[in-house]
Amino acid sequence: MREALDEELLIKLGNNALVDQDYVIQIIKKYRKAKNPVDISDSIGSVDRTNPDTLHNVDYGNGKFYMFNRHLTDCLDLGTIFQRRMNEEATFGDIVNTGCSENNVKYIRENDSYIWHKECTSKNKYIDLAYIKNH
């Protein structure tokens, strides 16, 4: 992210996902001038009693698609210490929650009709994005 200092919005896409470029452009046009931190994903609530001070009741994305603005990256808390190893989605949700405070973040649910995760069917073609024949 340090190399993209002039970018207003950043995307993280899972390696088994595809996203429609027109959908991305639509989001960029709508949220590029947002004044508050913006987190666009398919957020779910966390129940984590192992890390009650950090991850319990924290919203975090599901890993297939995230789009967030520079205001969100500016307020992330990168000093969080976890009691056990966490997956990347939960970790990102926590550093957003502890650094930006959920009250200041505008959470926007992604539109899954423009995102294909693990499989894609389009124009009579089927692609299993999670399957590699030689593994």
Side-chain angles (χ1 to χ4, degrees):
M1 288 188 283
R2 290 183 185 114
E3 288 79 27
L5 292 176
D6 294 333
E7 301 302 324
E8 292 180 51
L9 291 160
L10 302 162
I11 296 174
K12 185 260 184 205
L13 188 63
N15 64 356
N16 59 356
L18 298 171
V19 64
D20 182 281
Q21 73 177 10
D22 293 333
Y23 175 61
V24 172
I25 291 168
Q26 174 189 0
I27 294 172
I28 290 170
K29 288 179 179 178
K30 187 170 184 176
Y31 296 106
R32 70 177 175 211
K33 299 293 182 190
K35 302 295 182 208
N36 288 340
V38 173
D39 183 347
I40 303 164
S41 64
D42 188 11
S43 295
I44 57 176
S46 166
V47 176
D48 188 334
R49 288 172 180 72
T50 305
N51 296 284
D53 296 333
T54 55
L55 291 175
H56 191 62
N57 293 324
V58 170
D59 285 337
Y60 65 92
N62 62 15
K64 61 185 170 189
F65 175 85
Y66 296 98
M67 190 173 207
F68 44 91
N69 66 358
R70 178 61 56 188
H71 296 298
L72 190 83
T73 64
D74 290 343
C75 65
L76 297 176
D77 178 5
L78 303 178
T80 300
I81 297 172
F82 299 103
Q83 302 304 315
R84 63 182 171 93
R85 188 173 170 87
M86 302 305 303
N87 67 35
E88 65 191 65
E89 292 84 14
T91 301
F92 187 75
D94 174 67
I95 63 175
V96 168
N97 182 61
T98 57
C100 304
S101 172
E102 286 191 35
N103 297 330
N104 294 329
V105 178
K106 181 174 180 75
Y107 289 96
I108 297 137
R109 183 162 299 281
E110 68 191 34
N111 186 337
D112 280 339
S113 61
Y114 296 103
I115 300 165
W116 296 272
H117 186 227
K118 297 187 180 176
E119 61 183 17
C120 174
T121 304
S122 180
K123 297 183 181 178
N124 299 323
K125 303 279 186 196
Y126 172 80
I127 303 169
D128 185 342
L129 300 169
Y131 174 73
I132 300 172
K133 188 174 183 175
N134 63 356
H135 285 99

